[in-house]
Amino acid sequence: MTETSPTAPAAPQRSNMRELTLRAVILGGIITLVFTAANVYLGLKVGLTFATSIPAAVISMAILRKFAHHSIVENNIVQTIASAAGTLSAIIFVLPGLIMIGFWTGFPYWTTAFVCAIGGILGVTYSIPLRRALVTGSDLPYPEGRAAGEVLKVGDEQGSAEENKRGLHVILAGSLASAGFALMAAMKGVAGSLATYFKFGAGATTFGGSLSLALIGVGHLVGMSVGVAMIVGLIISFGILLPWKTAGSMNSGEALTDIVDGTFSADVRFIGAGAMAVAAVWTLVKIIGPITKGIKDSLASSRARHDGREVGITERDIPFPVVAGVTVASMIPVGLLLWLFVKDTAIMHHTGSLVLLSILYVLLVGLIVASICGYMAGLIGASNSPISGVGIIVVLSSALLIKAVTGNESDTNAESLVAYTLFTAAVVFGIATISNDNLQDLKTGQIVGATPWKQQVALIIGVLFGSAIIPPVLQLMMTGFGFAGAPGASPDALAAPQAALLSSVADGIFGNSLDWSLIGLGALIGVGVIIVDEILRKTTRFSLPPLAVGMGMYLPISLTLIIPVGAALGLFYDKWSEKRANAEASKRLGVLVATGLIVGESLFGVLNAGIIAATGNGDALAIFPESFASVANWLGPIIFVLAIAGCYRYVQSKAREI
């Protein structure tokens, strides 16, 4: 076994450079505050989060270059901390479910923080043995990891101050545009979304879109393959399944909007869940072999270091015995958290069996989850990696096991069992979110010549920062907006679509109301999509990511329709960039403006939530009267298009300066 994979890009040795420094940790923590808050908001709104590596790297370079003895590997530590914390915010795909089912009335700080911290730390330890299999010993592209590495390399070159400044200007332009439009929508000066409901065949369906510049940015980053796959999912759900499922309700006298929305929530999204579950299982089957080999190689490398053989700086992980020891020791706080959660509930007489089951589940399933998510991040990027599909499998499998252990308890205490399932799933989901990001960051570190063990320590620090920040932001979101479906939720409550889906799955299992025929139909559709995707991959240069199709099937059309638009804009911009002398630098500016579009609207959402929480008024910023709504409906799409055009014109002008 060689210590460095032949596929790995050459990286300089950085032993004489500052790396894991106090100023890097502090700067990473400050960036964490901003991006974690933004990710929590975006995830609750649309069920998607964004990767923070690249903007964190740019900001770090712009600041650290003002200090003496700064280095590329020190910048890498900053982006690693910010990236880990920002990614951990995906825990909000699970925890709001406890509010939605009425089990929690708020987010207890220490409980929420410890769930995030323990799950995140396990995500780090589980992904360390996978580094050789999926990073240095694999040809997976790691698009975001490579992009962040290239940004850091450019920033480390002489005379790059102007490029850093240009990148910051582009991020700022996108942020101001998206925050400005979101402000106008909150003021009711422009429409924030447009939708229509209509009869279609024997049934009915809906068509519309959220006028969200953040979604344009998401689309730019995920690319056309995911965008097209989401369109396919939309066609399946809103062009076929929804008209079919609503056909029997058209003469009920119920309002058309209620029929369509109710059928989508009760039926169609579970078909999408079935499709996503099958796609996730298929992914696991495909990567079992490489993962097993990678773990064996990691153990062999650890023994080599223990025997005193020389191992290069860029191949030094946290020793495997330490990794294994931390992993096993983490089961103690996991068990304590689970015991505290269940001890005063109606199912406390099952405490022993439930806690033991959950510990074993976290310990064993965690590695499987880390493997799936790490592989998917390497294949299509952390932003695109559909950990929600893994979340569905986690909730389904854990709920079925818990139901088997507790017998007929679900007949009388289903709510407590649902809550316990979600709490267990939250720990595993923490593993999923961090392993989804860690290998991406370790690829960046490999490119710039970082020391893996120092970066792995930084990942743990990032997890701790994120764990401290996520609970109050979640509480702020709940107080300011509330969550759709929760007791007393307002019409403007955040959809939190992933949390709603996962809690519905658990509720359906324990309430014996889950229509397995819907999931079965979704599974068949998923199999069909997998077959099409495999044929496309083997015979053409195109693909149809099955999990993206599933996402297009179960997310509301208003949230997903704009993403393919953003993907098309990103494609056109990249085609334009390819004609430039410095095509890659031009494309990076496109990535940065897309990131700015996401960050600006997300941060405004956090600010708006604070205003709403302080005033108790969901329309605290609304200054335009209701009579202005018809004008706002016209102004919304016009200003939306102009803002998009302005941002891309601006970034093109900056690209011409390169």
Side-chain angles (χ1 to χ4, degrees), residues 238-287:
F238 295 91
I240 300 174
L241 297 175
L242 197 52
W244 168 45
K245 286 293 183 178
T246 55
S249 305
M250 295 306 294
N251 297 320
S252 64
E254 192 177 0
L256 189 63
T257 56
D258 294 337
I259 293 174
V260 172
D261 290 342
T263 303
F264 175 76
S265 297
D267 294 338
V268 175
R269 74 175 176 185
F270 282 99
I271 300 175
M276 294 182 70
V278 166
V281 171
W282 174 247
T283 300
L284 176 61
V285 170
K286 292 180 70 174
I287 66 173

Side-chain angles (χ1 to χ4, degrees), residues 87-123:
T87 301
L88 185 61
S89 61
I91 195 75
I92 52 90
F93 289 174
V94 180
L95 286 180
L98 293 169
I99 304 292
M100 292 175 167
I101 66 173
F103 193 84
W104 275 2
T105 57
F107 294 95
Y109 181 84
W110 290 111
T111 300
T112 306
F114 275 114
V115 167
C116 295
I118 294 172
I121 290 171
L122 285 171

Side-chain angles (χ1 to χ4, degrees), residues 287-312:
I287 66 173
I288 285 178
I291 295 304
T292 302
K293 181 180 182 300
I295 292 175
K296 290 180 180 178
D297 290 347
S298 179
L299 287 169
S301 176
S302 181
R303 286 194 295 269
R305 289 184 63 192
H306 183 268
D307 294 341
R309 279 179 272 172
E310 181 66 24
V311 176

Side-chain angles (χ1 to χ4, degrees), residues 411-431:
D411 294 340
T412 54
N413 294 308
E415 182 185 277
S416 295
L417 291 172
V418 170
Y420 184 79
T421 299
L422 292 176
F423 196 73
T424 300
V427 178
V428 181
F429 212 77
I431 298 172

Side-chain angles (χ1 to χ4, degrees), residues 349-606:
H349 51 289
H350 290 290
T351 298
S353 57
L354 284 175
V355 171
L356 178 61
L357 172 66
S358 295
I359 289 175
L360 293 174
Y361 185 84
V362 170
L363 188 62
L364 299 177
V365 176
L367 181 59
I368 297 174
V369 165
S371 302
I372 294 174
C373 293
Y375 182 87
M376 292 304 294
L379 189 64
I380 58 176
S383 294
N384 306 340
S385 185
I387 58 173
S388 54
V390 177
I392 293 170
I393 294 181
V394 168
V395 171
L396 275 172
S397 57
S398 59
L400 290 172
L401 288 171
I402 289 170
K403 187 173 183 178
V405 166
T406 56
N408 297 326
E409 191 71 40
S410 59
D411 294 340
T412 54
N413 294 308
E415 182 185 277
S416 295
L417 291 172
V418 170
Y420 184 79
T421 299
L422 292 176
F423 196 73
T424 300
V427 178
V428 181
F429 212 77
I431 298 172
T433 61
I434 291 301
S435 58
N436 183 53
D437 173 75
N438 282 5
L439 295 178
Q440 198 82 241
D441 287 330
L442 291 172
K443 168 58 75 172
T444 302
Q446 180 199 19
I447 291 172
V448 303
T451 308
W453 77 262
K454 293 181 180 179
Q455 195 171 8
Q456 289 152 8
V457 170
L459 287 165
I460 294 175
I461 293 172
V463 165
L464 297 177
F465 275 134
S467 301
I469 293 167
I470 288 172
V473 177
L474 273 174
Q475 185 66 37
L476 181 63
M477 292 294 131
M478 191 203 73
T479 306
F481 293 108
F483 303 122
S490 69
D492 297 325
L494 292 167
Q498 306 286 14
L501 175 64
L502 296 180
S503 58
S504 296
V505 169
D507 185 65
I509 291 174
F510 290 111
N512 296 314
S513 61
L514 187 64
D515 189 341
W516 289 97
S517 67
L518 296 175
I519 295 178
L521 175 59
L524 290 176
I525 293 174
V527 170
V529 173
I530 289 170
I531 293 172
V532 172
D533 179 53
E534 290 296 312
I535 293 174
L536 287 175
R537 290 179 184 273
K538 291 178 180 179
T539 60
T540 71
R541 60 186 179 88
F542 301 106
S543 64
L544 189 70
L547 280 162
V549 174
M551 182 172 289
M553 289 174 63
Y554 80 77
L555 282 177
I557 190 172
S558 62
L559 299 179
T560 53
L561 184 62
I562 301 299
I563 293 176
V565 175
L569 288 171
L571 175 65
F572 292 144
Y573 177 80
D574 286 348
K575 292 291 185 182
W576 177 86
S577 294
E578 289 170 1
K579 300 175 183 178
R580 308 297 305 168
N582 195 335
E584 291 305 313
S586 178
K587 287 181 180 180
R588 282 198 293 271
L589 288 179
V591 169
L592 293 178
V593 77
T595 302
L597 292 175
I598 297 170
V599 171
E601 182 177 320
S602 301
L603 293 182
F604 172 77
V606 174

Side-chain angles (χ1 to χ4, degrees), residues 41-49 93 100 192-197 206-220 222 226-227 230-231 233-234 238 261 264-265 269 484 491-501 548 551-567 598 601 640:
Y41 170 74
L42 189 66
L44 289 173
K45 181 178 181 181
V46 303
L48 297 169
T49 55
F93 289 174
M100 292 175 167
S193 62
L194 297 173
T196 182
Y197 294 78
T206 181
F207 184 84
S210 173
L211 301 181
S212 167
L213 289 169
L215 293 181
I216 294 293
V218 169
H220 185 124
V222 302
V226 174
M230 294 186 79
I231 287 291
L234 289 178
F238 295 91
D261 290 342
F264 175 76
S265 297
R269 74 175 176 185
D492 297 325
L494 292 167
Q498 306 286 14
L501 175 64
M551 182 172 289
M553 289 174 63
Y554 80 77
L555 282 177
I557 190 172
S558 62
L559 299 179
T560 53
L561 184 62
I562 301 299
I563 293 176
V565 175
I598 297 170
E601 182 177 320
F640 184 68

